[in-house]
Amino acid sequence: MHKELLASSIAEHITFSYTCSGGNGGQNVNKVQTKVHAFIQLNTLNGLSSAEMQQLRRNLAGKITGAGTIHVTVQEQRSREQNRITALARMEQLIVTAARLPAKRKKTSVPRGIKERRLNAKKLHAKTKLNRQFKPTPYEE
């Protein structure tokens, strides 16, 4: 993954739309459009390999629209510019974390101590079950 290329691609192809924010803020909320909606098309992203793109589509399957776009909404700040910067950072973080490929598992053998512990546990369990068995006494026959 080329993070610099990906970040520049996101900054170049992201589109923003603005609406009135909800919640506290008084008259500022009613008359200023500070809520930011950020959209990006997945097919415009550069800097991801095909395996990373598949991983991204798999991890963000619920967030990708039918047209192949990802949507992020931010309304935390009173300033439109601050919300726009936050939306851009959040979009980058979302794409980078979702596209990360899992590490390959290295095959290792089971350590001797763990094998011994498992065998001791099996012997103890067998002994417990053996003690539960009915053993008739000479008078009960």
Side-chain angles (χ1 to χ4, degrees), residues 19-58:
T19 58
C20 289
S21 182
N24 298 333
Q27 198 170 12
N28 186 62
V29 172
N30 298 331
K31 65 181 187 177
V32 181
Q33 294 183 342
T34 57
K35 184 176 185 178
V36 175
H37 299 277
F39 303 92
I40 192 161
Q41 289 276 19
L42 286 182
N43 57 6
T44 62
L45 292 177
N46 296 326
L48 293 176
S49 67
S50 61
E52 289 169 336
M53 185 60 83
Q54 287 177 349
Q55 183 74 13
L56 175 75
R57 289 184 186 276
R58 196 176 312 120

Coordinates of all heavy atoms in Angstrom, one line a residue, residues 19-58:
T19 N -24.9 20.4 4.7 CA -26.3 20.6 5.1 C -26.2 21.3 6.5 O -25.2 21.4 7.1 CB -27.0 19.3 5.2 OG1 -26.4 18.4 6.1 CG2 -27.2 18.6 3.8
C20 N -27.4 21.7 6.9 CA -27.5 22.2 8.3 C -27.3 21.2 9.3 O -27.9 20.1 9.2 CB -28.9 22.9 8.5 SG -29.1 24.4 7.5
S21 N -26.5 21.5 10.3 CA -26.2 20.5 11.4 C -27.3 20.5 12.4 O -28.1 21.5 12.5 CB -24.9 20.9 12.0 OG -24.6 20.0 13.0
G22 N -27.5 19.5 13.1 CA -28.5 19.4 14.2 C -27.8 19.5 15.5 O -26.6 19.7 15.7
G23 N -28.6 19.5 16.6 CA -28.1 19.6 17.9 C -27.9 21.0 18.5 O -28.5 21.9 18.0
N24 N -27.0 21.1 19.5 CA -26.8 22.4 20.1 C -26.1 23.4 19.2 O -25.4 23.0 18.2 CB -25.9 22.2 21.4 CG -26.7 21.4 22.4 OD1 -27.9 21.3 22.4 ND2 -25.9 20.7 23.2
G25 N -26.2 24.6 19.4 CA -25.5 25.6 18.6 C -26.4 26.9 18.4 O -25.9 27.9 17.8
G26 N -27.6 26.8 18.8 CA -28.5 28.0 18.7 C -28.7 28.4 17.2 O -28.9 27.6 16.4
Q27 N -28.7 29.7 17.0 CA -29.0 30.2 15.7 C -27.9 29.8 14.6 O -28.3 29.7 13.5 CB -29.1 31.8 15.8 CG -29.8 32.4 14.6 CD -30.1 33.8 14.8 OE1 -29.5 34.4 15.7 NE2 -30.9 34.4 14.0
N28 N -26.7 29.6 15.1 CA -25.7 29.1 14.1 C -26.1 27.8 13.4 O -25.9 27.7 12.2 CB -24.4 28.9 14.9 CG -23.2 28.6 14.0 OD1 -22.8 29.4 13.2 ND2 -22.6 27.4 14.1
V29 N -26.7 26.9 14.2 CA -27.2 25.6 13.6 C -28.3 25.9 12.5 O -28.3 25.2 11.5 CB -27.7 24.7 14.7 CG1 -28.3 23.5 14.1 CG2 -26.6 24.3 15.6
N30 N -29.1 26.8 12.8 CA -30.3 27.1 11.9 C -29.9 27.7 10.6 O -30.6 27.5 9.6 CB -31.3 27.9 12.6 CG -31.9 27.2 13.8 OD1 -31.9 26.0 13.9 ND2 -32.3 28.0 14.8
K31 N -28.9 28.6 10.6 CA -28.6 29.3 9.4 C -27.3 29.0 8.6 O -27.1 29.4 7.5 CB -28.6 30.8 9.7 CG -27.5 31.3 10.6 CD -27.7 32.8 10.9 CE -26.5 33.3 11.7 NZ -26.5 34.7 11.9
V32 N -26.4 28.2 9.2 CA -25.1 27.9 8.6 C -25.0 26.4 8.3 O -25.3 25.6 9.2 CB -23.9 28.3 9.5 CG1 -22.6 28.0 8.9 CG2 -24.0 29.8 9.9
Q33 N -24.6 26.1 7.1 CA -24.5 24.7 6.7 C -23.1 24.1 7.1 O -22.2 24.3 6.3 CB -24.8 24.5 5.2 CG -26.2 24.9 4.9 CD -26.5 24.6 3.4 OE1 -25.6 24.6 2.6 NE2 -27.7 24.5 3.0
T34 N -23.0 23.5 8.3 CA -21.7 23.0 8.7 C -21.6 21.5 8.7 O -20.5 21.0 8.8 CB -21.5 23.5 10.2 OG1 -22.5 23.1 11.0 CG2 -21.4 25.0 10.2
K35 N -22.7 20.8 8.6 CA -22.6 19.4 8.5 C -22.0 19.0 7.2 O -22.4 19.4 6.1 CB -24.0 18.8 8.7 CG -24.0 17.2 8.7 CD -25.4 16.8 9.0 CE -25.5 15.3 9.2 NZ -26.9 14.9 9.4
V36 N -21.0 18.1 7.2 CA -20.3 17.7 6.0 C -20.5 16.2 5.6 O -20.5 15.3 6.5 CB -18.7 17.9 6.2 CG1 -18.0 17.4 5.0 CG2 -18.4 19.3 6.5
H37 N -20.9 16.0 4.4 CA -21.1 14.7 3.8 C -19.9 14.5 2.8 O -19.8 15.3 1.9 CB -22.4 14.5 3.1 CG -23.6 14.7 4.0 ND1 -24.1 13.7 4.8 CD2 -24.4 15.8 4.2 CE1 -25.1 14.2 5.4 NE2 -25.3 15.4 5.1
A38 N -19.1 13.5 3.0 CA -18.0 13.2 2.1 C -18.2 11.9 1.4 O -18.6 10.9 2.0 CB -16.7 13.1 2.9
F39 N -18.0 11.9 0.1 CA -18.2 10.8 -0.8 C -17.0 10.5 -1.6 O -16.3 11.5 -2.0 CB -19.4 11.0 -1.8 CG -20.7 11.4 -1.1 CD1 -21.0 12.7 -0.9 CD2 -21.6 10.4 -0.8 CE1 -22.2 13.1 -0.3 CE2 -22.8 10.7 -0.2 CZ -23.1 12.1 0.1
I40 N -16.7 9.2 -1.9 CA -15.6 8.9 -2.8 C -15.9 7.6 -3.5 O -16.5 6.7 -2.9 CB -14.2 8.8 -2.1 CG1 -13.1 8.7 -3.1 CG2 -14.2 7.6 -1.1 CD1 -11.8 9.1 -2.5
Q41 N -15.7 7.6 -4.8 CA -15.9 6.4 -5.6 C -14.7 5.5 -5.4 O -13.5 5.9 -5.5 CB -15.9 6.8 -7.1 CG -17.2 7.5 -7.5 CD -18.3 6.5 -7.8 OE1 -18.3 5.4 -7.4 NE2 -19.3 7.0 -8.4
L42 N -14.9 4.2 -5.2 CA -13.8 3.2 -5.0 C -13.0 3.0 -6.2 O -11.8 2.8 -6.1 CB -14.4 1.9 -4.5 CG -14.9 1.9 -3.1 CD1 -15.4 0.5 -2.7 CD2 -13.8 2.3 -2.1
N43 N -13.6 3.1 -7.4 CA -12.8 2.8 -8.6 C -11.9 4.0 -9.0 O -11.0 3.8 -9.9 CB -13.7 2.5 -9.8 CG -14.7 3.6 -10.1 OD1 -14.7 4.7 -9.5 ND2 -15.6 3.4 -11.0
T44 N -11.9 5.1 -8.3 CA -11.0 6.2 -8.5 C -9.8 6.2 -7.6 O -8.9 7.0 -7.8 CB -11.7 7.6 -8.3 OG1 -12.2 7.7 -7.0 CG2 -12.9 7.7 -9.3
L45 N -9.8 5.3 -6.7 CA -8.6 5.2 -5.7 C -7.4 4.6 -6.4 O -7.4 3.6 -7.1 CB -9.0 4.3 -4.5 CG -10.1 4.9 -3.6 CD1 -10.4 3.9 -2.5 CD2 -9.6 6.2 -3.0
N46 N -6.3 5.3 -6.1 CA -5.0 4.8 -6.6 C -4.1 4.5 -5.4 O -4.3 5.1 -4.3 CB -4.2 5.9 -7.4 CG -5.0 6.2 -8.7 OD1 -5.6 5.3 -9.3 ND2 -4.9 7.5 -9.1
G47 N -3.2 3.6 -5.5 CA -2.3 3.3 -4.4 C -2.6 2.0 -3.7 O -2.0 1.6 -2.7
L48 N -3.7 1.3 -4.2 CA -4.0 0.0 -3.6 C -3.8 -1.1 -4.6 O -4.2 -1.0 -5.7 CB -5.5 0.0 -3.1 CG -5.9 0.9 -2.0 CD1 -7.4 0.9 -1.8 CD2 -5.2 0.6 -0.7
S49 N -3.3 -2.3 -4.1 CA -3.2 -3.4 -5.0 C -4.6 -4.1 -5.1 O -5.5 -3.7 -4.4 CB -2.2 -4.4 -4.4 OG -2.7 -5.0 -3.2
S50 N -4.7 -5.0 -6.1 CA -6.0 -5.6 -6.3 C -6.4 -6.4 -5.0 O -7.6 -6.5 -4.7 CB -6.0 -6.6 -7.5 OG -5.0 -7.6 -7.3
A51 N -5.5 -7.1 -4.3 CA -5.8 -7.8 -3.1 C -6.3 -6.9 -2.0 O -7.2 -7.2 -1.3 CB -4.6 -8.6 -2.6
E52 N -5.6 -5.7 -1.9 CA -6.0 -4.7 -0.9 C -7.4 -4.1 -1.3 O -8.2 -3.9 -0.4 CB -5.0 -3.6 -0.8 CG -3.7 -4.0 -0.2 CD -2.6 -3.0 -0.3 OE1 -2.7 -2.2 -1.2 OE2 -1.7 -3.0 0.5
M53 N -7.7 -4.0 -2.5 CA -9.0 -3.5 -2.9 C -10.1 -4.5 -2.6 O -11.2 -4.2 -2.2 CB -9.0 -3.2 -4.4 CG -10.3 -2.5 -4.9 SD -10.7 -1.0 -4.1 CE -9.8 0.2 -5.0
Q54 N -9.8 -5.8 -2.8 CA -10.8 -6.8 -2.5 C -11.0 -6.9 -1.0 O -12.1 -7.0 -0.5 CB -10.3 -8.2 -2.9 CG -10.4 -8.4 -4.4 CD -9.8 -9.8 -4.9 OE1 -9.2 -10.4 -4.1 NE2 -10.0 -10.1 -6.1
Q55 N -9.9 -6.7 -0.2 CA -10.1 -6.7 1.3 C -10.9 -5.5 1.7 O -11.7 -5.6 2.6 CB -8.7 -6.6 1.9 CG -8.6 -6.7 3.4 CD -9.0 -8.0 3.9 OE1 -9.0 -9.0 3.2 NE2 -9.2 -8.1 5.2
L56 N -10.7 -4.3 1.1 CA -11.4 -3.1 1.3 C -12.9 -3.4 1.1 O -13.8 -3.0 1.9 CB -10.9 -2.0 0.5 CG -11.7 -0.7 0.6 CD1 -11.4 0.0 1.9 CD2 -11.3 0.2 -0.6
R57 N -13.2 -3.9 -0.1 CA -14.6 -4.2 -0.4 C -15.3 -5.2 0.5 O -16.4 -5.1 0.9 CB -14.7 -4.7 -1.9 CG -14.5 -3.6 -2.9 CD -14.7 -4.1 -4.3 NE -14.3 -3.2 -5.3 CZ -15.1 -2.2 -5.7 NH1 -16.3 -2.1 -5.3 NH2 -14.7 -1.3 -6.6
R58 N -14.5 -6.2 1.0 CA -15.0 -7.2 1.9 C -15.3 -6.6 3.3 O -16.3 -6.8 3.9 CB -14.0 -8.3 2.0 CG -14.5 -9.6 2.7 CD -13.5 -10.7 2.7 NE -12.9 -10.9 1.4 CZ -11.6 -10.8 1.2 NH1 -10.8 -10.5 2.2 NH2 -11.0 -11.0 0.0

